[in-house]
Amino acid sequence: MYAYDELDRTLINERVSEFRDQVKRRLSGELTEDEFKMLRLQNGVYLQLHAYMFRVAIPYGTLSSEQLRRMAHVARKYDRGYGHFTTRQNIQFNWIKLAELPDALADLADVGIHAMQTSGNNTRNVTSDQWAGVAPGEIEDPRIWSELLRQYTTLHPEFSFLPRKFKFAITASDHDRAAIKVHDIGLRLYRNAAGETGFEVLVGGGLGRTPFIGKTIKPFVHGHDLLSYVEAILRVYNQYGRRDNIYKARIKILVHELGIEKFAREVEEEWLQMRDSALQIDDSVIEDIRSRFSYPTYEKLPHMPDELKKAAHDPHFEAWRKNSTFPHKVPGYAIAVLSLKPVGGPPGDATADQMDAIADLADRYSFGEIRVGHEQNLALPHVARRDLPALWKALDRIGVATPNVNLVSDIIACPGLDYCSLANARSIPIAQELTRRFANHDTANLIGRLHINISGCINACGHHHVGHIGILGVEKNGEEFYQITIGGRADEKAEVGTLIGPAVPYGDVADVIEDIVEAYLALRARPDELFIDAVKRLGVEPFRERVYATR
Amino acid sequence: MTSPLQQKIKISGPSVITANRTWDGIVIWRTAAKGWSAELSDAAIVRTADEARALLAESVADDVGAIGAYIAPVEIRDSGKIKPGNLREHIRSAGVTIDLPVPA
Ligand code: HEM
Ligand code: SF4
């Protein structure tokens, strides 16, 4: 956990009173909607189909039990008893009243939570590996650097009116769980041949209308140069990024149009002028941030405690353990992923009661800490392996122990036309139907790792481009249609998927996905050749054939 | 926002003006009595671009009461009942098409 200092607390509290005043002036008519819109967006307040939507940041996906309880409280008191975890370590409330928003913000501010820069053309919530600090083999806790960037970019005047939104993600593991290659700036912390740690800096990744995989702009930037280098990138973007056309305004378009070499030269020039400025970060700054992260005092525990041996006879427990628990850097401990993808449920939603129960379980079994990942699941990051059976029982009771993590029913989906004013088509009912089709865990395990991602429009909030199977809602003559892509991925080998053919109507989507999965099962070279690898080997043709031969 | 009086407005059938209520965000429709209602059945129906423009202008002028006013298509049944003209508007008036995680 990270402990905010006085400055942060003051900032957050001041922000609440400012917003309270702004809302008051809006409701009295002193501010017009045109004047107010920018102010509300800076506090994470959108207008959706049925109501305002309120987006709250969960910096680097780390939450305390107290914070999660407070989210439950907000869901219960100001919303309809649930919240939606998004792909960027935020939570959204869908039914909040403008008049009550200042109170909700104030309640969140009490526990150090805010909604600053969760929308608008600024630097958004800096996301990280949700297993930061506990993943085996990690170079260093990437959240230290996320926090540095959070402090640096929050309300930074130069970055508050960028051409368009700007998203950072950081990982410090070989396996990228933070999707850094589809972010405006992706940072990979690693150790170079000389044994120094620093960052590979990627730039220009993004999804939306024009998807791009980020390109390496500099293979190694030392930690103390991180802020100056990032600022150099943002300056070049701020200067040349297009403000005349919203569809061409993201940095990915600039990088693409200039070419990465030219863009890199511009950045280098800018950087050389300022790298030795006040932006050089002193070790003491990093040490100060590091010291504000608290880590549990782990016990010396056995890898195979009796509790675990005994529980191994229960096939339901074993199914969950094998699927949803992952190695921890400390022996005797595990990371437990909580699936927010129940069969037939909307992906990423958690009720207030679930949030409260999870907070209690975090206190009991995970040193009071919860993590939020971009796959829209939660995790308890420090569970003693001996506690896994008891934890599983409790999770199962509240419906978050579906053993489908990373499997076909662990679907990422945006809110789509059920909530979103920009949508062409619905996402959630498609996801629900698919989870029912693939409800059988044996079948899902037989299929193996397979990520289905669904977006209700080309903005790609559901990451459809980088789903192993991507589903994109489009509209044709007033009807919902869906384009299907395959072969995308969001990890260290990130790729944009390939369209398999003409869009299919709403009622056919689940059948088409089943066809694709069946084709894969028939075509895979071995049982352990994953879907994504089979597509890489075979191309889209055999899948296209299978889907369209009879349609 | 460009004033509706300057906008090119085309409608292809009976239409209504809809928006969200400022203080709580709920979906509302402009009524013939120059007010707003949370019931589509109360909505004023316009059938020409000029009528639509006038009703929209009047709606947009109520900046304190409503936000994001726009013209939405409707169908008028033989019974006289007003139905939303497309799926988006159907969802706006009838609510999400899924079960909410917590029943209301
Ligand atoms: C419901 C209200 C939402 C609205 C109005 C909205 C709006 C948008 C827009 C306009 C874009 C495209 C930006 C661009 O390419 O310049 C976008 C991208 C994105 N949004 Fe959303 N979004 C919403 C909800 C969500 C949710 C629920 C998630 C997570 C599940 C999410 C995560 C993202 C991500 C990851 C991207 C694409 C990555 C990128 O920026 O390139 N958004 N959103
Ligand atoms: S992808 Fe489109 S439909 Fe889905 S949340 Fe984003 S803007 Fe809305």
Side-chain angles (χ1 to χ4, degrees):
Chain A
M1 287 308 308
Y2 182 78
Y4 278 170
D5 62 14
E6 204 42 48
L7 198 73
D8 290 305
R9 283 193 293 272
T10 309
L11 175 73
I12 294 178
N13 289 330
E14 282 176 358
R15 189 66 173 221
V16 175
S17 31
E18 282 163 16
F19 191 57
R20 193 181 289 286
D21 181 55
Q22 290 156 358
V23 169
K24 199 170 122 212
R25 287 191 286 147
R26 171 70 187 115
L27 293 177
S28 73
E30 207 179 309
L31 287 178
T32 64
E33 179 60 19
D34 277 356
E35 290 161 336
F36 180 67
K37 188 173 177 186
M38 174 83 107
L39 301 171
R40 69 167 160 81
L41 285 176
Q42 283 171 356
N43 290 286
V45 183
Y46 285 77
L47 183 69
Q48 290 301 289
L49 291 183
H50 316 279
Y52 291 97
M53 182 273 278
F54 178 40
R55 181 183 289 162
V56 173
I58 303 170
Y60 28 84
T62 299
L63 272 179
S64 69
S65 53
E66 187 193 26
Q67 290 173 324
L68 185 57
R69 261 183 220 108
R70 197 54 68 94
M71 300 211 170
H73 158 82
V74 165
R76 211 175 265 128
K77 180 157 180 198
Y78 306 104
D79 206 272
R80 296 201 179 169
Y82 68 98
H84 177 75
F85 289 96
T86 80
T87 51
R88 290 210 77 257
Q89 298 179 328
N90 295 307
I91 184 170
Q92 295 184 177
F93 298 101
N94 291 299
W95 305 95
I96 216 136
K97 298 179 175 68
L98 181 62
E100 293 181 356
L101 259 160
D103 291 339
L105 258 187
D107 290 353
L108 291 170
D110 283 346
V111 293
I113 295 181
H114 63 85
M116 275 180 265
Q117 297 183 195
T118 57
S119 58
N121 294 334
N122 47 46
T123 44
R124 302 289 187 90
N125 188 27
V126 177
T127 55
S128 256
D129 185 348
Q130 66 269 30
W131 295 354
V134 292
E138 184 176 80
I139 300 291
E140 178 174 70
D141 191 335
R143 293 174 302 169
I144 292 163
W145 301 95
S146 310
E147 175 56 26
L148 176 74
L149 282 168
R150 184 194 70 79
Q151 293 182 9
Y152 171 62
T153 58
T154 299
L155 304 189
H156 191 308
E158 202 174 328
F159 311 149
S160 295
F161 299 93
L162 292 167
R164 197 77 182 89
K165 58 170 89 166
F166 204 91
K167 303 177 179 178
F168 286 90
I170 309 187
T171 181
S173 283
D174 288 339
H175 179 56
D176 173 15
R177 281 172 290 267
I180 67 166
K181 290 195 170 174
V182 291
H183 278 77
D184 297 279
I185 290 186
L187 298 169
R188 184 174 73 88
L189 191 62
Y190 74 108
R191 195 165 284 131
N192 68 9
E196 303 164 303
T197 52
F199 293 92
E200 178 187 5
V201 180
L202 292 97
V203 70
L207 301 171
R209 183 172 303 258
T210 336
F212 282 109
I213 300 301
K215 298 174 187 71
T216 301
I217 176 167
K218 204 164 177 68
F220 189 84
V221 172
H222 201 285
H224 58 237
D225 291 326
L226 182 65
L227 292 190
S228 58
Y229 193 73
V230 158
E231 173 144 336
I233 294 178
L234 278 156
R235 281 195 179 173
V236 171
Y237 172 50
N238 222 353
Q239 183 173 358
Y240 296 117
R242 289 188 50 180
R243 293 170 192 268
D244 60 323
N245 180 340
I246 191 174
Y247 301 122
K248 301 202 184 271
R250 295 286 292 267
I251 195 172
K252 62 191 175 188
I253 304 290
L254 180 64
V255 171
H256 178 70
E257 284 180 355
L258 285 182
I260 184 70
E261 289 80 18
K262 182 152 191 319
F263 183 81
R265 274 201 303 279
E266 294 274 352
V267 170
E268 196 72 15
E269 233 168 76
E270 187 72 36
W271 184 49
L272 291 177
Q273 289 174 36
M274 55 192 240
R275 67 180 288 187
D276 300 321
S277 68
L279 285 177
Q280 267 263 9
I281 321 160
D282 214 64
D283 285 347
S284 67
V285 173
I286 298 302
E287 277 322 306
D288 184 54
I289 293 179
R290 200 189 305 274
S291 71
R292 291 183 159 274
F293 276 97
S294 58
Y295 295 90
T297 318
Y298 298 106
E299 287 175 75
K300 239 186 148 66
L301 294 174
H303 180 72
M304 250 311 155
D306 291 342
E307 291 87 342
L308 213 50
K309 284 184 203 144
K310 233 172 82 196
H313 299 298
D314 181 343
H316 294 295
F317 169 74
E318 274 299 279
W320 176 78
R321 185 189 61 79
K322 284 192 188 135
N323 171 266
S324 305
T325 71
F326 296 86
H328 194 281
K329 67 174 186 191
V330 178
Y333 286 83
I335 301 166
V337 175
L338 281 47
S339 168
L340 297 184
K341 317 291 174 68
V343 171
D349 282 5
T351 66
D353 291 349
Q354 285 175 324
M355 290 187 232
D356 275 337
I358 292 166
D360 291 347
L361 291 171
D363 280 339
R364 193 138 161 215
Y365 297 117
S366 182
F367 298 89
E369 211 177 301
I370 301 102
R371 301 295 181 82
V372 184
H374 90 267
E375 300 85 353
Q376 301 181 290
N377 287 321
L378 302 179
L380 296 182
H382 327 275
V383 183
R385 285 168 59 84
R386 62 155 189 242
D387 293 335
L388 287 173
L391 174 66
W392 167 70
K393 277 205 181 105
L395 295 176
D396 193 40
R397 267 199 297 276
I398 59 167
V400 296
T402 314
N404 62 351
V405 173
N406 292 329
L407 299 180
V408 58
S409 54
D410 185 2
I411 296 169
I412 293 179
C414 79
L417 191 54
D418 280 296
Y419 294 97
C420 179
S421 56
L422 304 175
N424 290 322
R426 285 171 290 168
S427 308
I428 297 171
I430 299 275
Q432 289 174 310
E433 176 59 16
L434 286 170
T435 62
R436 288 187 205 104
R437 295 280 178 111
F438 294 104
N440 184 312
H441 297 312
D442 295 330
T443 314
N445 274 312
L446 183 80
I447 297 165
R449 191 177 184 113
L450 205 178
H451 295 294
I452 300 181
N453 295 358
I454 312 175
S455 305
C457 81
I458 196 63
N459 285 323
C461 303
H463 290 197
H464 66 275
H465 298 293
V466 290
H468 297 177
I469 299 178
I471 303 175
L472 164 65
V474 294
E475 193 220 286
K476 275 195 188 173
N477 305 322
E479 302 285 320
E480 295 166 288
F481 272 73
Y482 296 83
Q483 292 181 349
I484 317 284
T485 51
I486 61 173
R489 60 195 295 172
D491 59 4
E492 60 282 358
K493 297 182 194 151
E495 242 179 277
V496 172
T498 308
L499 193 62
I500 62 164
V504 299
Y506 179 87
D508 285 1
V509 176
D511 290 342
V512 166
I513 304 304
E514 272 193 327
D515 282 353
I516 293 173
V517 171
E518 274 170 23
Y520 152 68
L521 290 175
L523 291 165
R524 67 184 177 187
R526 308 168 308 278
D528 65 351
E529 185 184 40
L530 297 181
F531 175 82
I532 187 70
D533 298 325
V535 174
K536 183 100 196 159
R537 178 171 60 83
L538 297 162
V540 300
E541 212 41 58
F543 298 93
R544 187 198 312 263
E545 236 163 68
R546 172 67 183 251
V547 168
Y548 295 98
T550 55
R551 280 192 178 79
Chain B
M1 186 172 166
T2 342
S3 153
L5 299 170
Q6 293 155 10
Q7 282 171 24
K8 256 220 182 85
I9 285 175
K10 267 210 313 229
I11 59 173
S12 54
S15 300
V16 293
I17 306 295
T18 182
N20 291 76
R21 191 158 68 193
T22 303
W23 76 270
D24 63 353
I26 70 158
V27 177
I28 48 178
W29 289 271
R30 190 73 182 170
T31 66
K34 298 196 183 304
W36 297 97
S37 168
E39 301 295 331
L40 174 58
S41 54
D42 294 337
I45 308 291
V46 290
R47 293 172 192 277
T48 67
D50 285 343
E51 284 172 10
R53 182 179 300 109
L55 194 64
L56 182 61
E58 168 198 316
S59 306
V60 167
D62 180 16
D63 185 65
V64 186
I67 85 173
Y70 63 93
I71 303 167
V74 289
E75 286 168 25
I76 314 279
R77 294 289 158 85
D78 291 342
S79 62
K81 207 168 152 51
I82 309 175
K83 289 276 178 195
N86 60 35
L87 179 62
R88 183 179 194 274
E89 293 307 317
H90 170 78
I91 290 174
R92 283 181 80 250
S93 66
V96 296
T97 65
I98 51 177
D99 291 334
L100 291 184
V102 179

